[in-house]
């Protein structure tokens, strides 16, 4: 029989907007910054976990298998099994899902699951012509051969490729993520004005949450080596309005596109952890669960419309559990792009789409905007790719507790044409 799985606690770093050059923290630095205070407040020792699972997409060369490096730096012991998972934007949720299934099936009792990403540390990559030139130089024998090889260098061989730009471009369709959002927006008639209004509201909600102290128990202050500290998500722009955002030019499809820098998620660094435990671990350590994971679901679709991943993953999740959209009181739908979020809402409310694609009897219905991303999302917070799926689960749990709601869903689109969704219940 499947065992219940509980979310005990969690924390994250502030999400720090990438600006000029690498930020103050590497992926493992970020994981350690929020992991230390999280583990320090637990009634058990850090080596009590069965394993550590960490999502990370842009792993840097100095931190191969960042889960293991983080576990060692967190003092979890040399015997701690730790591994890294990568499913693009879903990596942080995949870590929770993998932990959930290990515990549910009785293979573990307590797992630390997280996500981390330092997009500001994404590398510049040499073009293949430059790599071939360097290889020829390195393998040339003798001074004359090396001199001859050196003269083959051309300026284009040294022109770097922005690794992040290529990483955010689908290798099959050759569309970048912003272009896929444009496709979704076109399919469902999402206007520029609607996208800008949604983005402005995201900033307003995050600014309100910060001012009201809603994130106080979720965000841990991060301390850099130079003594600087970071205690809040710094990408929020409280003065954003639909009118000011309307002045920005389209980024991906000029001049008529809907997607701009202002209504897209921000390039950001950040990390997040949650502690998952079985009922046996809860009893052993006298823990107080915050919520329980009821079910999870993953789906795949055409990469060119990857933004509809939440619709494709959350719909069967709800059907399997005998629920409708209205039965869910709190939603976290990762804001990759305002146009994409609005496209998902439109798809659920489209009779033809729901009949022909989802196999429903008619439109699934509307999601009340007061129940969706109640404290803002990635447009105002940022979207550290390997972290976001973890953050939305963590924040969903905290928001449900604050609002007194019983049932919530965290869901996201995933680059490459995937979607993930997780059903959470209060305990």
């Amino acid at each position: 029989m499947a065992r219940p799985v509980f979310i005990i606690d969690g924390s994250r770093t502030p999400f720090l907007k990438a600006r000029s050059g690498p930020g103050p923290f590497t992926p493992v630095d970020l994981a350690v910054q929020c992991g230390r205070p999280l583990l320090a407040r637990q009634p058990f020792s850090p080596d009590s976990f069965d394993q550590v699972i960490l999502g990370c997409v842009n792993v840097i060369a100095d931190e191969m298998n960042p889960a293991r490096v983080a576990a060692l730096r967190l003092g979890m012991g040399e015997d701690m099994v730790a591994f890294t998972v990568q499913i693009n934007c879903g990596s942080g949720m995949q870590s929770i899902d993998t932990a959930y299934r290990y515990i549910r099936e009785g293979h573990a009792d307590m797992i630390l699951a997280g996500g981390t990403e330092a997009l500001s540390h994404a590398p510049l990559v040499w073009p293949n012509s430059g790599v071939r030139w360097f290889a020829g130089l390195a393998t040339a024998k003798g001074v004359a051969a090396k001199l001859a090889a050196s003269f083959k260098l051309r300026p284009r061989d040294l022109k770097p490729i922005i690794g992040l730009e290529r990483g955010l471009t689908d290798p099959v369709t050759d569309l970048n993520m912003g272009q896929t959002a444009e496709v979704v927006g076109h399919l469902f008639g999402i206007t520029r004005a609607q996208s800008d209004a949604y983005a402005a509201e995201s900033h307003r909600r995050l600014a309100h949450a910060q001012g009201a102290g809603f994130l106080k128990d979720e965000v841990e202050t991060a301390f850099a080596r130079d003594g600087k500290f970071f205690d809040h998500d710094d990408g929020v722009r409280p003065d954003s309005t639909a009118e000011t955002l309307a002045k920005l030019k389209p980024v991906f499809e000029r001049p008529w596109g809907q997607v701009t820098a202002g209504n897209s998620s921000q390039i950001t660094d950040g990390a997040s952890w949650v502690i998952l435990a079985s009922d046996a671990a809860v009893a052993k350590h006298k823990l107080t669960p915050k919520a329980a994971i009821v079910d999870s679901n993953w789906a795949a679709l055409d990469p060119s419309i990857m933004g509809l991943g939440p619709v494709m993953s959350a719909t069967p999740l709800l059907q399997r559990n005998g629920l409708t959209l209205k039965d869910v009181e709190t939603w976290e739908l990762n804001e990759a792009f305002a146009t994409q979020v609005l496209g998902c809402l439109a798809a659920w409310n489209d009779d033809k789409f729901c009949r022909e694609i989802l196999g429903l009897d008619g439109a699934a219905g509307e999601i009340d905007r007061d129940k969706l991303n109640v404290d803002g999302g990635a447009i105002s917070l940022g979207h550290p790719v390997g972290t976001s799926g973890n953050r939305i689960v963590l924040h969903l749990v905290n928001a449900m507790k604050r609002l007194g709601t019983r049932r919530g869903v965290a869901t996201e689109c995933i680059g490459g044409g995937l979607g993930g969704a997780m059903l959470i219940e209060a305990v």
Side-chain angles (χ1 to χ4, degrees), residues 314-336:
T315 303
L317 175 72
L318 295 178
Q319 287 181 300
R320 190 160 64 229
N321 289 276
L323 302 172
T324 67
L325 296 180
K326 291 185 177 180
D327 294 322
V328 179
E329 300 156 288
T330 312
W331 288 83
E332 283 290 320
L333 195 163
N334 192 46
E335 296 174 353

Side-chain angles (χ1 to χ4, degrees), residues 4-26:
V5 180
F6 301 102
I7 295 176
I8 305 301
D9 200 355
S11 68
R12 67 174 177 89
T13 66
F15 279 15
L16 306 178
K17 187 176 180 179
R19 290 181 167 88
S20 56
F25 306 105
T26 67

Side-chain angles (χ1 to χ4, degrees), residues 264-302:
S264 303
S265 58
Q266 301 176 42
I267 297 173
T268 308
D269 298 350
S272 173
W273 291 107
V274 294
I275 295 172
L276 282 76
S278 66
D279 48 2
V282 167
K284 177 181 178 180
H285 299 292
K286 298 181 174 59
L287 305 176
T288 303
K290 289 187 173 184
I293 300 177
V294 177
D295 199 359
S296 63
N297 190 67
W298 301 88
L301 67 163
D302 185 334

Side-chain angles (χ1 to χ4, degrees), residues 307-391:
L308 295 176
V311 179
M312 305 305 295
S313 58
T315 303
L317 175 72
L318 295 178
Q319 287 181 300
R320 190 160 64 229
N321 289 276
L323 302 172
T324 67
L325 296 180
K326 291 185 177 180
D327 294 322
V328 179
E329 300 156 288
T330 312
W331 288 83
E332 283 290 320
L333 195 163
N334 192 46
E335 296 174 353
F337 304 92
T339 304
Q340 167 263 326
V341 175
L342 295 172
C344 287
L345 300 184
W348 268 313
N349 203 33
D350 186 279
D351 186 82
K352 182 178 181 181
F353 180 89
C354 289
R355 288 179 182 275
E356 296 183 0
I357 305 301
L358 299 179
L360 303 179
D361 294 332
E366 297 185 26
I367 294 178
D368 186 340
R369 292 283 291 276
D370 289 336
K371 299 178 180 180
L372 174 69
N373 299 339
V374 294
D375 297 319
I379 289 171
S380 50
L381 273 163
H383 179 18
V385 181
T387 307
S388 291
N390 201 274
R391 183 202 69 82

Side-chain angles (χ1 to χ4, degrees), residues 133-292:
W133 171 81
F134 185 82
L137 181 64
T139 56
K141 305 297 184 182
V143 175
K146 286 187 178 294
L147 189 61
S150 67
F151 281 123
K152 295 180 181 180
L153 179 65
R154 298 292 181 268
R156 64 175 181 273
D157 299 334
L158 300 179
K159 184 180 180 180
I161 298 169
I162 300 174
L164 182 59
E165 183 178 306
R166 296 310 303 156
L168 295 177
T169 300
D170 183 80
V172 176
T173 64
D174 205 31
L175 296 176
N176 61 49
M177 297 300 100
Q179 289 173 311
T180 69
E182 293 280 15
V183 174
V184 170
H186 176 73
L187 288 174
F188 292 97
I190 307 302
T191 68
R192 169 70 184 273
Q194 290 174 318
S195 295
D196 288 342
Y198 182 93
E201 179 67 9
S202 179
H203 284 281
R204 189 196 68 77
R205 291 187 179 192
L206 175 58
H208 174 71
Q210 290 177 332
F214 295 160
L215 306 180
K216 178 171 59 71
D217 296 328
E218 178 174 312
V219 179
E220 306 287 351
T221 300
F223 298 89
R225 295 183 182 185
D226 62 2
K228 293 181 180 179
F229 67 91
F230 306 85
D231 61 1
H232 67 281
D233 307 305
D234 67 1
V236 62
R237 298 187 297 275
D239 57 346
S240 290
T241 65
E243 291 72 28
T244 58
L245 292 175
K247 298 176 183 178
L248 299 176
K249 294 181 178 180
V251 175
F252 305 103
E253 293 293 334
R254 293 182 178 179
W256 310 115
Q258 311 299 324
V259 181
T260 71
N263 58 37
S264 303
S265 58
Q266 301 176 42
I267 297 173
T268 308
D269 298 350
S272 173
W273 291 107
V274 294
I275 295 172
L276 282 76
S278 66
D279 48 2
V282 167
K284 177 181 178 180
H285 299 292
K286 298 181 174 59
L287 305 176
T288 303
K290 289 187 173 184

